[in-house]
Coordinates of all heavy atoms in Angstrom, one line a residue:
M1 N 22.0 -133.2 32.9 CA 21.4 -132.6 31.7 C 22.0 -131.2 31.4 O 22.1 -130.9 30.3 CB 19.8 -132.5 32.0 CG 19.1 -132.0 30.8 SD 19.2 -133.2 29.4 CE 17.9 -132.7 28.4
A2 N 22.3 -130.5 32.6 CA 22.8 -129.2 32.3 C 24.1 -129.3 31.6 O 24.6 -128.4 30.6 CB 23.0 -128.5 33.6
A3 N 24.9 -130.2 31.9 CA 26.1 -130.4 31.2 C 26.1 -130.6 29.8 O 26.8 -130.1 29.0 CB 27.1 -131.5 31.9
R4 N 25.1 -131.5 29.4 CA 24.7 -131.7 28.0 C 24.5 -130.4 27.2 O 24.8 -130.2 26.1 CB 23.8 -132.8 28.0 CG 23.5 -133.3 26.4 CD 22.6 -134.6 26.5 NE 22.6 -135.0 25.1 CZ 21.4 -135.0 24.4 NH1 20.3 -134.6 25.0 NH2 21.4 -135.4 23.2
M5 N 23.6 -129.7 27.8 CA 23.1 -128.5 27.2 C 24.3 -127.4 26.9 O 24.4 -126.9 25.9 CB 22.0 -127.7 27.9 CG 21.4 -126.5 27.2 SD 20.8 -126.8 25.7 CE 19.2 -126.8 25.9
S6 N 25.1 -127.5 27.9 CA 26.3 -126.5 27.9 C 27.2 -127.0 26.8 O 27.7 -126.4 25.9 CB 27.1 -126.6 29.2 OG 28.2 -126.0 28.9
E7 N 27.4 -128.3 26.6 CA 28.1 -128.9 25.4 C 27.5 -128.7 24.2 O 28.2 -128.2 23.1 CB 28.2 -130.5 25.6 CG 29.1 -131.3 24.6 CD 29.1 -132.7 25.1 OE1 28.2 -133.4 24.6 OE2 30.1 -133.1 25.7
Q8 N 26.2 -128.6 24.1 CA 25.6 -128.3 22.8 C 25.8 -126.8 22.5 O 26.0 -126.5 21.2 CB 24.0 -128.6 22.9 CG 23.7 -130.1 22.8 CD 22.2 -130.2 23.0 OE1 21.5 -129.4 23.4 NE2 21.8 -131.4 22.5
N9 N 25.7 -125.9 23.3 CA 25.9 -124.5 23.2 C 27.2 -124.2 22.6 O 27.3 -123.4 22.0 CB 25.6 -123.7 24.5 CG 24.1 -123.6 24.7 OD1 23.3 -123.8 23.8 ND2 23.6 -123.4 26.0
R10 N 28.2 -125.0 23.0 CA 29.6 -124.7 22.6 C 29.7 -125.0 21.1 O 30.6 -124.4 20.4 CB 30.6 -125.5 23.3 CG 30.9 -125.1 24.7 CD 32.2 -125.8 25.2 NE 31.9 -127.0 25.4 CZ 31.8 -127.7 26.5 NH1 31.8 -127.1 27.6 NH2 31.7 -129.0 26.5
T11 N 28.9 -125.8 20.5 CA 28.8 -126.1 19.0 C 28.2 -124.9 18.3 O 28.3 -125.1 17.0 CB 28.4 -127.5 18.8 OG1 26.9 -127.4 19.1 CG2 29.0 -128.6 19.6
V12 N 27.5 -124.2 18.8 CA 26.7 -123.1 18.2 C 27.7 -121.9 18.0 O 28.1 -121.4 19.0 CB 25.4 -122.8 18.8 CG1 24.6 -121.7 18.1 CG2 24.5 -123.9 18.9
P13 N 27.9 -121.4 16.9 CA 28.7 -120.2 16.7 C 28.2 -119.1 17.5 O 27.0 -118.9 17.5 CB 28.8 -120.0 15.2 CG 28.2 -121.1 14.6 CD 27.4 -121.9 15.5
D14 N 29.1 -118.2 18.0 CA 28.6 -117.0 18.8 C 27.6 -116.1 18.0 O 26.8 -115.4 18.5 CB 29.9 -116.2 19.2 CG 30.7 -116.9 20.3 OD1 30.0 -117.9 21.0 OD2 31.8 -116.6 20.4
W15 N 27.7 -116.1 16.7 CA 27.0 -115.2 15.8 C 25.6 -115.6 15.7 O 24.7 -114.8 15.3 CB 27.6 -114.9 14.5 CG 27.8 -116.1 13.7 CD1 28.9 -116.9 13.6 CD2 26.9 -116.9 12.9 NE1 28.7 -117.8 12.7 CE2 27.6 -117.8 12.2 CE3 25.6 -116.6 12.6 CZ2 26.9 -118.8 11.4 CZ3 25.0 -117.5 11.6 CH2 25.6 -118.5 11.1
F16 N 25.3 -117.0 15.9 CA 24.0 -117.5 15.8 C 23.2 -117.4 17.1 O 23.5 -118.1 17.9 CB 24.0 -119.0 15.3 CG 22.8 -119.5 14.8 CD1 22.4 -119.5 13.5 CD2 21.9 -120.1 15.7 CE1 21.1 -119.9 13.2 CE2 20.7 -120.8 15.3 CZ 20.3 -120.6 13.9
H17 N 22.3 -116.4 17.2 CA 21.5 -116.1 18.3 C 20.2 -116.8 18.6 O 19.5 -116.4 19.4 CB 21.4 -114.6 18.6 CG 22.7 -113.9 18.5 ND1 23.6 -113.9 19.6 CD2 23.4 -113.2 17.6 CE1 24.6 -113.2 19.3 NE2 24.6 -112.7 18.1
S18 N 19.9 -117.8 17.8 CA 18.6 -118.4 17.9 C 18.6 -119.8 18.5 O 17.7 -120.5 18.4 CB 18.0 -118.4 16.5 OG 17.8 -117.2 16.0
G19 N 19.6 -120.2 19.2 CA 19.6 -121.3 20.0 C 20.0 -122.6 19.3 O 20.0 -122.7 18.0
P20 N 20.4 -123.7 20.0 CA 21.0 -125.0 19.5 C 19.9 -125.7 18.7 O 20.3 -126.4 17.7 CB 21.4 -125.6 20.8 CG 20.7 -125.0 21.8 CD 20.4 -123.7 21.5
K21 N 18.6 -125.7 19.1 CA 17.6 -126.4 18.2 C 17.5 -125.9 16.9 O 17.6 -126.8 15.9 CB 16.3 -126.5 18.9 CG 15.3 -127.2 18.2 CD 13.9 -127.3 19.0 CE 13.0 -128.1 18.1 NZ 11.6 -128.0 18.5
L22 N 17.4 -124.6 16.7 CA 17.3 -124.1 15.3 C 18.5 -124.2 14.6 O 18.6 -124.4 13.4 CB 16.9 -122.6 15.3 CG 16.4 -121.9 14.1 CD1 15.3 -122.8 13.4 CD2 16.0 -120.5 14.2
Y23 N 19.7 -124.1 15.2 CA 21.0 -124.2 14.6 C 21.1 -125.7 14.1 O 21.6 -125.9 13.0 CB 22.1 -124.0 15.6 CG 23.4 -124.1 14.9 CD1 24.0 -123.1 14.0 CD2 24.4 -125.1 15.3 CE1 25.1 -123.2 13.3 CE2 25.6 -125.1 14.7 CZ 26.0 -124.2 13.6 OH 27.2 -124.2 13.1
R24 N 20.7 -126.7 14.8 CA 20.7 -128.0 14.4 C 19.9 -128.2 13.1 O 20.2 -128.9 12.2 CB 20.2 -129.0 15.5 CG 20.2 -130.5 15.2 CD 21.6 -131.0 15.2 NE 21.9 -131.7 14.0 CZ 23.1 -131.9 13.5 NH1 24.2 -131.7 14.3 NH2 23.3 -132.4 12.4
S25 N 18.7 -127.6 13.1 CA 17.9 -127.6 11.8 C 18.7 -127.1 10.7 O 18.5 -127.6 9.5 CB 16.6 -126.9 12.1 OG 15.8 -127.3 13.0
L26 N 19.4 -125.9 10.9 CA 20.2 -125.3 9.8 C 21.3 -126.4 9.4 O 21.4 -126.5 8.1 CB 20.9 -124.0 10.3 CG 21.8 -123.4 9.4 CD1 21.2 -122.9 8.2 CD2 22.6 -122.2 10.1
L27 N 21.9 -127.0 10.2 CA 23.0 -128.0 9.8 C 22.3 -129.2 9.1 O 22.9 -129.7 8.0 CB 23.7 -128.4 11.0 CG 24.5 -127.4 11.7 CD1 25.3 -128.1 12.9 CD2 25.6 -126.8 10.9
D28 N 21.1 -129.6 9.4 CA 20.6 -130.6 8.8 C 20.1 -130.3 7.4 O 20.2 -131.0 6.4 CB 19.3 -131.2 9.6 CG 19.6 -131.8 10.8 OD1 20.8 -132.1 11.0 OD2 18.6 -131.9 11.7
L29 N 19.5 -129.0 7.3 CA 19.2 -128.6 5.9 C 20.4 -128.3 5.0 O 20.3 -128.7 3.8 CB 18.5 -127.2 6.0 CG 17.1 -127.1 6.3 CD1 16.7 -125.6 6.5 CD2 16.4 -127.6 5.1
A30 N 21.6 -127.9 5.5 CA 22.7 -127.6 4.7 C 23.6 -128.7 4.5 O 24.5 -128.6 3.7 CB 23.6 -126.5 5.5
E31 N 23.3 -129.9 5.0 CA 24.3 -131.0 5.0 C 24.6 -131.5 3.5 O 25.7 -132.0 3.3 CB 23.9 -132.2 5.8 CG 22.7 -132.9 5.4 CD 22.3 -134.0 6.3 OE1 23.0 -134.3 7.3 OE2 21.2 -134.5 6.2
W32 N 23.6 -131.2 2.6 CA 23.9 -131.7 1.2 C 24.4 -130.7 0.4 O 24.6 -130.8 -0.8 CB 22.7 -132.3 0.7 CG 21.6 -131.3 0.6 CD1 20.6 -131.0 1.6 CD2 21.1 -130.4 -0.4 NE1 19.8 -130.1 1.1 CE2 20.1 -129.7 -0.2 CE3 21.8 -130.3 -1.8 CZ2 19.5 -128.7 -1.0 CZ3 21.3 -129.2 -2.6 CH2 20.0 -128.5 -2.2
H33 N 24.5 -129.4 1.0 CA 25.0 -128.3 0.2 C 26.2 -127.7 0.8 O 26.2 -127.0 1.8 CB 23.9 -127.1 0.2 CG 24.0 -126.1 -0.7 ND1 25.0 -125.0 -0.4 CD2 23.5 -125.8 -1.9 CE1 24.7 -124.2 -1.4 NE2 23.9 -124.6 -2.3
P34 N 27.4 -128.0 0.2 CA 28.7 -127.6 0.8 C 28.9 -126.1 1.1 O 29.4 -125.9 2.1 CB 29.7 -128.0 -0.2 CG 29.1 -129.1 -1.0 CD 27.6 -128.8 -1.1
E35 N 28.4 -125.3 0.2 CA 28.6 -123.8 0.4 C 27.7 -123.4 1.7 O 28.2 -122.6 2.5 CB 28.2 -123.1 -0.8 CG 28.5 -121.5 -0.6 CD 28.2 -120.8 -2.0 OE1 27.5 -121.2 -2.9 OE2 28.9 -119.8 -2.0
A36 N 26.5 -123.9 1.7 CA 25.6 -123.6 3.0 C 26.1 -124.1 4.3 O 26.2 -123.5 5.2 CB 24.3 -124.1 2.7
T37 N 26.8 -125.3 4.2 CA 27.5 -125.9 5.4 C 28.6 -125.0 5.8 O 28.8 -124.7 6.9 CB 28.0 -127.3 5.0 OG1 26.8 -128.1 4.8 CG2 28.7 -127.9 6.2
E38 N 29.5 -124.5 4.9 CA 30.5 -123.7 5.1 C 30.1 -122.4 5.9 O 30.7 -122.0 6.8 CB 31.4 -123.3 3.9 CG 32.6 -122.6 4.1 CD 33.4 -122.4 2.8 OE1 33.2 -123.2 1.9 OE2 34.1 -121.4 2.8
I39 N 29.0 -121.8 5.4 CA 28.5 -120.5 6.0 C 28.0 -120.9 7.3 O 28.3 -120.1 8.2 CB 27.5 -120.0 5.0 CG1 28.1 -119.5 3.7 CG2 26.8 -118.8 5.8 CD1 27.1 -119.1 2.6
A40 N 27.2 -122.0 7.4 CA 26.6 -122.2 8.7 C 27.6 -122.6 9.8 O 27.3 -122.4 11.0 CB 25.7 -123.5 8.6
T41 N 28.7 -123.2 9.5 CA 29.7 -123.6 10.4 C 30.9 -122.6 10.7 O 31.8 -122.8 11.4 CB 30.3 -125.0 10.1 OG1 30.9 -124.8 8.7 CG2 29.2 -126.0 10.2
S42 N 30.7 -121.5 10.0 CA 31.7 -120.4 10.1 C 31.8 -119.9 11.5 O 30.8 -119.7 12.1 CB 31.5 -119.2 9.1 OG 32.4 -118.2 9.5
P43 N 33.0 -119.8 12.1 CA 33.1 -119.3 13.5 C 32.9 -117.7 13.6 O 32.6 -117.2 14.7 CB 34.6 -119.7 13.9 CG 35.3 -119.7 12.6 CD 34.3 -120.2 11.6
T44 N 32.9 -117.1 12.4 CA 32.7 -115.7 12.3 C 31.4 -115.3 11.7 O 30.9 -116.1 10.9 CB 33.8 -114.9 11.6 OG1 33.9 -115.3 10.3 CG2 35.1 -115.2 12.3
V45 N 30.8 -114.1 12.0 CA 29.5 -113.7 11.4 C 29.7 -113.8 9.8 O 30.7 -113.3 9.3 CB 29.3 -112.3 11.7 CG1 28.0 -111.7 11.1 CG2 29.1 -112.2 13.2
P46 N 28.8 -114.4 9.3 CA 28.8 -114.4 7.7 C 28.8 -113.0 7.0 O 28.2 -112.0 7.7 CB 27.6 -115.2 7.3 CG 27.2 -116.0 8.4 CD 27.6 -115.2 9.8
S47 N 29.6 -112.8 5.9 CA 29.6 -111.6 5.3 C 28.2 -111.4 4.7 O 27.3 -112.3 4.6 CB 30.7 -111.7 4.2 OG 30.3 -112.6 3.1
D48 N 28.0 -110.1 4.1 CA 26.7 -109.9 3.5 C 26.5 -110.7 2.4 O 25.5 -111.3 2.2 CB 26.8 -108.4 2.9 CG 26.6 -107.3 4.1 OD1 26.3 -107.9 5.3 OD2 26.9 -106.2 3.8
F49 N 27.4 -111.0 1.7 CA 27.4 -112.0 0.5 C 27.0 -113.4 0.9 O 26.2 -114.1 0.2 CB 28.7 -112.1 -0.3 CG 28.7 -113.0 -1.6 CD1 28.0 -112.5 -2.8 CD2 29.3 -114.2 -1.5 CE1 28.0 -113.5 -3.8 CE2 29.2 -115.1 -2.5 CZ 28.6 -114.7 -3.7
A50 N 27.8 -113.9 1.9 CA 27.5 -115.2 2.5 C 26.0 -115.2 2.9 O 25.3 -116.3 2.8 CB 28.5 -115.5 3.5
A51 N 25.7 -114.2 3.7 CA 24.2 -114.2 4.2 C 23.2 -114.2 3.0 O 22.2 -114.9 3.2 CB 24.0 -112.9 5.0
E52 N 23.4 -113.4 2.0 CA 22.5 -113.5 0.9 C 22.5 -114.9 0.2 O 21.5 -115.4 -0.3 CB 23.0 -112.5 -0.2 CG 22.8 -110.9 0.3 CD 21.3 -110.5 0.4 OE1 20.4 -111.3 -0.3 OE2 21.0 -109.7 1.2
T53 N 23.7 -115.6 0.1 CA 23.8 -116.8 -0.5 C 23.1 -117.8 0.3 O 22.2 -118.6 -0.2 CB 25.4 -117.2 -0.5 OG1 26.0 -116.4 -1.4 CG2 25.4 -118.8 -1.1
M54 N 23.0 -117.6 1.7 CA 22.2 -118.5 2.6 C 20.8 -118.2 2.4 O 19.9 -119.2 2.4 CB 22.7 -118.4 3.9 CG 22.0 -119.3 4.9 SD 22.4 -121.1 4.5 CE 23.9 -121.2 5.5
L55 N 20.4 -116.9 2.3 CA 19.0 -116.6 2.1 C 18.5 -117.2 0.7 O 17.4 -117.6 0.8 CB 18.9 -115.0 2.0 CG 19.0 -114.4 3.4 CD1 19.0 -112.9 3.3 CD2 17.8 -114.7 4.3
D56 N 19.2 -117.1 -0.3 CA 18.8 -117.8 -1.5 C 18.5 -119.3 -1.4 O 17.6 -120.0 -1.8 CB 19.8 -117.6 -2.6 CG 20.0 -116.2 -3.1 OD1 19.0 -115.4 -2.9 OD2 20.9 -115.9 -3.8
F57 N 19.5 -119.9 -0.6 CA 19.4 -121.4 -0.4 C 18.2 -121.7 0.5 O 17.5 -122.6 0.2 CB 20.7 -121.8 0.4 CG 20.6 -123.1 1.0 CD1 20.5 -124.5 0.1 CD2 20.4 -123.4 2.4 CE1 20.4 -125.7 0.8 CE2 20.3 -124.6 2.9 CZ 20.4 -125.8 2.2
L58 N 18.0 -121.0 1.5 CA 16.9 -121.2 2.4 C 15.5 -120.9 1.7 O 14.6 -121.6 1.9 CB 16.9 -120.2 3.7 CG 18.1 -120.8 4.6 CD1 18.3 -119.7 5.6 CD2 17.8 -122.1 5.2
S59 N 15.5 -119.9 0.9 CA 14.3 -119.6 0.1 C 13.9 -120.7 -0.9 O 12.7 -121.1 -1.0 CB 14.4 -118.2 -0.7 OG 14.5 -117.2 0.2
D60 N 14.9 -121.3 -1.4 CA 14.7 -122.5 -2.4 C 14.2 -123.6 -1.6 O 13.3 -124.3 -1.9 CB 16.0 -122.8 -3.1 CG 16.5 -121.8 -4.1 OD1 15.6 -120.9 -4.5 OD2 17.6 -121.9 -4.5
E61 N 14.7 -123.9 -0.4 CA 14.3 -125.0 0.5 C 12.8 -124.7 0.9 O 12.1 -125.7 1.0 CB 15.3 -125.1 1.7 CG 16.6 -125.8 1.3 CD 16.3 -127.3 0.8 OE1 15.7 -128.2 1.5 OE2 16.6 -127.4 -0.3
L62 N 12.6 -123.5 1.3 CA 11.2 -123.1 1.7 C 10.3 -123.6 0.5 O 9.1 -124.2 0.8 CB 11.1 -121.8 2.2 CG 9.7 -121.3 2.6 CD1 9.2 -122.0 3.9 CD2 9.7 -119.8 2.9
M63 N 10.6 -123.2 -0.5 CA 9.6 -123.5 -1.6 C 9.5 -124.8 -2.0 O 8.5 -125.5 -2.4 CB 9.9 -122.6 -2.9 CG 9.8 -121.2 -2.8 SD 8.2 -120.6 -2.3 CE 7.3 -121.1 -3.7
R64 N 10.6 -125.6 -1.8 CA 10.7 -127.0 -2.2 C 10.1 -127.9 -1.1 O 9.3 -128.8 -1.5 CB 12.2 -127.4 -2.3 CG 12.4 -128.8 -2.9 CD 13.8 -128.9 -3.2 NE 14.7 -129.2 -2.0 CZ 14.8 -130.3 -1.4 NH1 14.1 -131.4 -1.7 NH2 15.5 -130.4 -0.2
T65 N 10.2 -127.5 0.2 CA 9.7 -128.5 1.3 C 8.9 -127.9 2.3 O 8.6 -128.6 3.3 CB 11.0 -129.2 1.9 OG1 11.7 -128.2 2.5 CG2 11.9 -129.9 0.9
G66 N 8.6 -126.5 2.2 CA 8.1 -125.8 3.4 C 6.6 -125.7 3.4 O 6.0 -124.9 4.3
F67 N 5.9 -126.2 2.4 CA 4.4 -126.0 2.3 C 3.7 -127.3 2.0 O 4.2 -128.2 1.5 CB 4.1 -125.0 1.2 CG 4.8 -123.7 1.3 CD1 6.0 -123.2 0.7 CD2 4.0 -122.8 2.1 CE1 6.5 -122.0 1.0 CE2 4.7 -121.4 2.3 CZ 5.8 -121.0 1.7
T68 N 2.4 -127.2 2.4 CA 1.5 -128.4 2.0 C 1.1 -128.2 0.7 O 1.4 -127.2 -0.1 CB 0.3 -128.5 2.9 OG1 -0.5 -127.3 2.7 CG2 0.7 -128.6 4.4
D69 N 0.3 -129.1 0.1 CA -0.2 -128.9 -1.3 C -1.1 -127.7 -1.5 O -1.1 -127.1 -2.6 CB -1.1 -130.2 -1.8 CG 0.0 -131.3 -2.0 OD1 1.1 -131.1 -2.1 OD2 -0.6 -132.5 -1.8
D70 N -1.8 -127.2 -0.4 CA -2.6 -126.1 -0.5 C -1.9 -124.8 0.1 O -2.6 -123.9 0.4 CB -3.9 -126.2 0.1 CG -3.8 -126.5 1.6 OD1 -2.7 -126.7 2.1 OD2 -4.8 -126.4 2.2
W71 N -0.5 -124.7 0.1 CA 0.4 -123.7 0.4 C 0.3 -123.2 1.9 O 0.8 -122.1 2.2 CB 0.1 -122.5 -0.6 CG 0.5 -122.8 -2.0 CD1 -0.4 -123.1 -3.0 CD2 1.9 -122.8 -2.5 NE1 0.5 -123.3 -4.1 CE2 1.8 -123.2 -3.8 CE3 3.2 -122.6 -1.8 CZ2 3.0 -123.4 -4.5 CZ3 4.3 -122.7 -2.6 CH2 4.1 -123.2 -4.0
A72 N -0.1 -124.1 2.7 CA -0.1 -123.8 4.2 C 1.4 -124.0 4.5 O 1.9 -125.0 4.2 CB -1.1 -124.5 4.8
V73 N 1.9 -123.3 5.4 CA 3.3 -123.4 5.9 C 3.3 -124.6 7.0 O 2.6 -124.7 7.7 CB 3.8 -122.1 6.6 CG1 5.2 -122.4 7.2 CG2 3.7 -121.1 5.7
T74 N 4.2 -125.5 6.8 CA 4.3 -126.6 7.6 C 5.2 -126.3 8.8 O 5.8 -125.2 8.8 CB 4.9 -127.8 6.8 OG1 6.3 -127.5 6.5 CG2 4.2 -128.4 5.7
A75 N 5.4 -127.1 9.7 CA 6.4 -126.9 10.9 C 7.8 -126.9 10.3 O 8.5 -125.9 10.8 CB 6.1 -128.1 11.9
H76 N 8.0 -127.7 9.4 CA 9.4 -127.6 8.9 C 9.6 -126.2 8.0 O 10.6 -125.5 8.1 CB 9.5 -128.7 7.7 CG 10.9 -128.8 7.1 ND1 12.1 -129.0 7.7 CD2 11.3 -128.5 5.8 CE1 13.0 -128.9 6.8 NE2 12.5 -128.6 5.6
G77 N 8.6 -125.7 7.4 CA 8.5 -124.5 6.7 C 8.8 -123.5 7.7 O 9.4 -122.4 7.5
Q78 N 8.0 -123.5 8.8 CA 8.2 -122.4 10.0 C 9.7 -122.3 10.4 O 10.2 -121.3 10.6 CB 7.3 -122.7 11.0 CG 7.4 -121.7 12.2 CD 7.0 -120.2 11.5 OE1 5.9 -120.1 10.9 NE2 8.0 -119.2 11.7
E79 N 10.3 -123.5 10.6 CA 11.8 -123.5 11.0 C 12.6 -122.8 9.8 O 13.6 -122.1 10.2 CB 12.2 -124.8 11.1 CG 11.9 -125.6 12.5 CD 12.6 -126.9 12.4 OE1 12.8 -127.6 11.5 OE2 12.6 -127.4 13.7
I80 N 12.2 -123.0 8.6 CA 13.1 -122.4 7.5 C 12.8 -120.9 7.5 O 13.8 -120.2 7.5 CB 12.7 -123.1 6.1 CG1 13.1 -124.5 6.0 CG2 13.4 -122.2 5.1 CD1 12.7 -125.3 4.9
E81 N 11.6 -120.4 7.8 CA 11.3 -119.1 7.8 C 12.1 -118.5 9.0 O 12.4 -117.3 9.0 CB 9.8 -118.8 8.0 CG 9.0 -119.0 6.8 CD 7.5 -118.8 6.8 OE1 7.0 -118.7 8.0 OE2 6.9 -118.7 5.8
D82 N 12.2 -119.1 10.2 CA 12.9 -118.7 11.3 C 14.4 -118.5 10.9 O 15.1 -117.5 11.3 CB 12.8 -119.6 12.5 CG 11.4 -119.5 13.2 OD1 10.5 -118.7 12.7 OD2 11.0 -120.4 13.9
L83 N 15.0 -119.5 10.2 CA 16.4 -119.3 9.7 C 16.5 -118.2 8.8 O 17.4 -117.4 8.7 CB 16.7 -120.7 9.1 CG 17.0 -121.8 10.1 CD1 17.0 -123.2 9.3 CD2 18.1 -121.5 10.9
I84 N 15.5 -118.0 7.9 CA 15.6 -116.9 6.9 C 15.6 -115.5 7.8 O 16.3 -114.5 7.5 CB 14.4 -116.8 6.0 CG1 14.6 -117.9 4.9 CG2 14.2 -115.3 5.3 CD1 13.3 -118.2 4.1
D85 N 14.8 -115.4 8.9 CA 14.9 -114.3 9.7 C 16.4 -113.9 10.3 O 16.8 -112.9 10.3 CB 13.9 -114.4 10.8 CG 12.5 -114.1 10.4 OD1 12.2 -113.7 9.3 OD2 11.5 -114.6 11.2
V86 N 17.0 -115.0 10.7 CA 18.3 -115.0 11.2 C 19.3 -114.4 10.3 O 20.0 -113.5 10.5 CB 18.9 -116.4 11.8 CG1 20.4 -116.4 12.1 CG2 18.1 -116.9 13.0
F87 N 19.2 -114.9 9.0 CA 20.1 -114.4 7.9 C 19.7 -113.0 7.4 O 20.6 -112.4 6.9 CB 20.3 -115.5 6.8 CG 21.2 -116.6 7.4 CD1 20.7 -117.7 8.0 CD2 22.6 -116.5 7.4 CE1 21.5 -118.7 8.5 CE2 23.5 -117.5 7.9 CZ 22.8 -118.6 8.5
N88 N 18.4 -112.9 7.5 CA 18.0 -111.4 7.1 C 18.6 -110.3 8.0 O 19.0 -109.3 7.5 CB 16.5 -111.3 7.2 CG 15.8 -111.4 5.8 OD1 16.4 -110.8 4.8 ND2 14.5 -111.6 5.8
K89 N 18.6 -110.6 9.3 CA 19.2 -109.6 10.2 C 20.7 -109.5 10.0 O 21.2 -108.4 10.3 CB 19.1 -110.2 11.6 CG 17.5 -110.0 12.1 CD 17.4 -110.6 13.4 CE 15.9 -110.5 13.7 NZ 15.5 -111.2 15.0
I90 N 21.3 -110.6 9.4 CA 22.8 -110.5 9.2 C 23.0 -109.6 7.9 O 24.0 -108.8 7.8 CB 23.5 -111.9 9.1 CG1 23.3 -112.5 10.5 CG2 24.9 -111.7 8.6 CD1 23.8 -114.0 10.5
A91 N 22.1 -110.0 7.0 CA 22.5 -109.3 5.6 C 21.9 -107.8 5.7 O 22.6 -107.0 4.9 CB 21.7 -110.0 4.7
Q92 N 21.0 -107.5 6.5 CA 20.5 -106.1 6.6 C 20.4 -105.6 8.0 O 19.4 -105.6 8.7 CB 19.1 -106.1 6.1 CG 19.0 -106.6 4.6 CD 17.6 -106.7 4.2 OE1 16.5 -106.5 4.7 NE2 17.4 -107.2 2.9
P93 N 21.6 -105.5 8.7 CA 21.7 -105.1 10.1 C 21.0 -103.7 10.3 O 21.0 -102.8 9.5 CB 23.2 -104.9 10.3 CG 23.8 -104.9 9.1 CD 23.0 -105.5 8.1
G94 N 20.5 -103.6 11.5 CA 19.9 -102.3 11.9 C 18.6 -102.3 12.2 O 17.8 -102.9 12.8

């Protein structure tokens, strides 16, 4: 099992510090959006513009799929919020 986890970690870019599970969620969300996929799979830290682009994409996804009918955040919505936090730190370092 340790070898498998090590293999998964190699697929996560160094700039993504939130672990392989959340990164897999990012890839699943971005798979239908070429620009988001390009940003997510970049081997280098996304530029401010790319981070802002990803924040727009994730915000749209959160509104589209992250809430119940009475506006409670779903588990999927919480994952998207966690991803928004990742890209917020990139877009606004400090």
Side-chain angles (χ1 to χ4, degrees):
M1 186 70 163
R4 185 166 185 250
M5 183 56 102
S6 174
E7 185 177 82
Q8 286 177 341
N9 284 338
R10 281 194 299 253
T11 64
V12 178
D14 289 339
W15 59 264
F16 191 88
H17 299 288
S18 294
K21 183 179 178 193
L22 192 59
Y23 184 68
R24 181 76 238 162
S25 294
L26 175 61
L27 293 179
D28 289 346
L29 275 172
E31 71 183 351
W32 63 270
H33 192 282
E35 189 173 19
T37 299
E38 183 178 334
I39 294 166
T41 58
S42 172
T44 59
V45 176
S47 67
D48 290 345
F49 178 78
E52 291 291 338
T53 299
M54 188 62 86
L55 286 169
D56 289 343
F57 167 71
L58 291 169
S59 295
D60 289 347
E61 282 301 298
L62 180 61
M63 293 305 296
R64 193 173 70 80
T65 65
F67 297 98
T68 64
D69 290 341
D70 61 354
W71 292 103
V73 177
T74 63
H76 179 68
Q78 183 58 56
E79 281 186 337
I80 296 171
E81 287 181 348
D82 292 344
L83 289 166
I84 288 171
D85 289 344
V86 168
F87 285 94
N88 250 337
K89 288 177 186 172
I90 293 170
Q92 302 169 1

